[in-house]
Amino acid sequence: MTKEQWRPFYHLDLLIFGTSFWKEYLQKEKRSVYDVTEAVEIKAKLQAKNMVFTHLSHDIDIRKHAEMLSDENVSFAYDGREILLP
């Protein structure tokens, strides 16, 4: 994406982001979503307050990988999860 395309996503309170794998080894040009490690970097770049990952594949073990997240404001979506907005 260009800088102009990223502009609306800066400083969001909540960014919901599709990530299929913890670490994706396929070339970026051949896939449609970022992996979790890339998405965490994007959160920092965009300075989003909170981020929730969706579109999780079998590669993501929510309990195990949640412990590996270094940012407490990053989490995984799951069936039945509710997010309350002000």
Side-chain angles (χ1 to χ4, degrees), residues 1-2 5 13 17 19 26 28 31 35-37 39 43 47 52-54 59 63 65 68 72 77 80-82 86:
M1 290 178 54
T2 66
Q5 291 170 322
D13 289 331
F17 208 87
T19 56
L26 190 63
K28 287 183 183 179
R31 50 189 164 112
D35 67 32
V36 172
T37 61
K43 177 189 179 290
Q47 301 175 24
V52 176
F53 298 130
T54 63
D59 179 65
R63 288 186 181 105
H65 285 105
M68 296 169 65
E72 66 183 31
R81 179 167 182 192
E82 294 182 11

Side-chain angles (χ1 to χ4, degrees), residues 6-57:
W6 280 116
R7 188 167 296 172
F9 298 99
Y10 277 85
H11 306 288
L12 294 175
D13 289 331
L14 175 62
L15 178 58
I16 298 174
F17 208 87
T19 56
S20 291
F21 298 94
W22 180 263
K23 183 67 179 165
E24 173 68 76
Y25 296 100
L26 190 63
Q27 296 172 348
K28 287 183 183 179
E29 299 81 25
K30 295 185 179 185
R31 50 189 164 112
S32 60
V33 296
Y34 292 94
D35 67 32
V36 172
T37 61
E38 294 164 333
V40 169
E41 292 173 6
I42 290 169
K43 177 189 179 290
K45 169 186 167 180
L46 299 176
Q47 301 175 24
K49 291 181 185 174
N50 298 284
M51 184 178 243
V52 176
F53 298 130
T54 63
H55 296 83
L56 308 174
S57 74

Side-chain angles (χ1 to χ4, degrees), residues 57-68:
S57 74
H58 62 277
D59 179 65
I60 302 291
D61 178 329
I62 291 176
R63 288 186 181 105
K64 177 182 108 178
H65 285 105
E67 292 176 4
M68 296 169 65

Side-chain angles (χ1 to χ4, degrees), residues 62-79:
I62 291 176
R63 288 186 181 105
K64 177 182 108 178
H65 285 105
E67 292 176 4
M68 296 169 65
L69 294 170
S70 59
D71 185 336
E72 66 183 31
N73 296 315
V74 175
S75 60
F76 295 107
Y78 53 84
D79 290 344

